[in-house]
Structure formats: C-alpha cells, structure tokens
C-alpha cells in the first residue's frame, strides 16, 4: 500500500514537472514569435546592420573625402560644411571607383569613367551620377544609412546634409 502511494506521488510529481516544462516552453515560444513579428524590433535590428557610423562632425574636416570601403561608400564634406555619402559602385557596370585626391575626382578602373567630387559624370561611359546614401547627423555624430541607394541623374544642392 505504502509502495503504491509512493509510486503515485512519484508519478504525479513527474506529471507536474512535465506540465511546468510545457508551460515554460510555451511562454518561450510565444516570446520568440512576438519578437519575430514585432515591427519595431525588426526595424531596429535591420537599421543597426545598415547604419554605419562615419565619425564625429567636428573630426571631419571640410574639403575631405573619406573612404568607407566596408560600407561601400565615400563620405565627402565640402567647403560649406555639407555632407554627402556617395556609393563607390560605378553606374556603368558596377566596378569599384577610387578617389584621386590630387585631381579631386573619382575614377573607375574598368572603362575609365570619371566623376567629380559630387559624383557627377565628367567622362562617360557612366550614364549618370554616382548613387548616394542618406546621411544622418545626430548628437554630433555622422551616420550613413546604407539600406538603400538614392539614384541620381546629377548632383542637387538638396543632396547635402548639414549638422
Ligand atoms: S564599370 Fe565603370 S566605367 Fe565601366
């Protein structure tokens, strides 16, 4: 009789333990599902991987062009203080351009397209200006949103971003 009672207690303990484990697994599954479909969280995660920090506004001297090869862009700061992030992909067939600081031009090594410091075509075959990326300035920090390219025919003054 005592053995049978002990057996029942052990059995009910195991049942309760399984019920608790099931409840914990259910709660975790709900939390994972909520995080997956929560738009705010998804947006933040996406943003964090596409937004590149370029540096402090005060550290980027006007009249410079800085390469950020990992982010696939050049960050230019012009004499008036405006910022522009230019894609380093040539608009002809997609080769990587490079900056010639002496001539103040971007040059494509593949078919010799040349772009000015704002990305305008100086010499074809490139059909249009270099694409740009959105520049964000917050709390004195310059960031570039590489989540999508801004296609441009040519440079417009409104492309520039100021601190
Ligand atoms: S890919 Fe740049 S000129 Fe052709």
């Amino acid at each position: 009789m005592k053995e049978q009672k002990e057996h029942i207690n052990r059995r009910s303990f195991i049942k309760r333990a399984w019920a608790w484990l099931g409840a914990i697994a259910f709660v975790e599954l709900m939390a994972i599902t909520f995080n997956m479909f929560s738009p705010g969280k998804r947006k933040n995660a996406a943003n964090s991987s596409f937004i590149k920090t370029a540096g402090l506004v005060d550290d980027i001297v006007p009249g410079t062009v800085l390469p950020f090869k990992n982010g696939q862009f050049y960050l230019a700061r012009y004499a008036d203080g405006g910022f522009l992030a230019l894609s380093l992909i040539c608009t002809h067939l997609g080769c990587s351009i490079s900056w010639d600081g002496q001539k103040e031009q971007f040059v494509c090594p593949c078919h010799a397209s040349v772009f000015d410091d704002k990305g305008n075509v100086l010499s074809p075959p490139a059909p249009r200006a270099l694409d740009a990326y959105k520049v964000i300035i917050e709390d004195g920090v310059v960031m570039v949103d590489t989540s999508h390219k801004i296609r441009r025919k040519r440079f417009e003054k409104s492309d520039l971003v100021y601190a």
Side-chain angles (χ1 to χ4, degrees):
M1 186 76 176
K2 191 178 174 190
E3 243 177 58
Q4 195 178 6
K5 198 174 177 183
E6 214 171 88
H7 182 70
I8 289 170
N9 281 344
R10 196 177 322 143
R11 184 183 292 169
S12 71
F13 171 78
I14 290 171
K15 269 186 178 176
R16 281 190 195 152
W18 276 114
W20 273 107
L21 287 174
I24 291 168
F26 179 76
V27 168
E28 284 187 18
L29 184 68
M30 293 305 289
I32 289 167
T33 305
F34 178 77
N35 279 340
M36 253 172 50
F37 294 106
S38 168
K41 294 242 179 190
R42 196 171 54 216
K43 193 175 171 192
N44 288 342
N47 282 348
S48 64
S49 63
F50 289 112
I51 293 184
K52 311 292 181 193
T53 300
L56 298 174
V57 170
D58 294 341
D59 291 345
I60 303 171
V61 179
T64 56
V65 175
L66 303 169
F68 290 85
K69 303 269 179 178
N70 289 344
Q72 298 278 295
F73 65 88
Y74 282 94
L75 181 71
R77 187 171 195 197
Y78 301 98
D80 70 349
F83 287 93
L84 179 64
L86 295 165
S87 166
L88 58 75
I89 303 301
C90 179
T91 54
H92 180 225
L93 293 177
C95 290
S96 292
I97 54 159
S98 48
W99 172 245
D100 180 339
Q102 288 199 324
K103 292 184 180 171
E104 299 196 340
Q105 297 173 336
F106 294 99
V107 180
C108 181
C110 293
H111 312 101
S113 283
V114 179
F115 304 85
D116 71 10
D117 65 340
K118 294 183 176 74
N120 292 315
V121 178
L122 293 177
S123 178
R128 59 185 172 79
L130 295 170
D131 293 333
Y133 289 111
K134 183 179 176 186
V135 174
I136 302 161
I137 299 175
E138 276 180 14
D139 301 326
V141 178
V142 183
M143 293 167 281
V144 176
D145 180 354
T146 60
S147 62
H148 71 279
K149 289 180 184 174
I150 302 163
R151 195 181 165 101
R152 311 176 309 152
K153 266 199 155 75
R154 59 175 297 107
F155 169 77
E156 302 284 342
K157 178 89 173 128
S158 59
D159 294 344
L160 297 178
V161 175
Y162 295 87

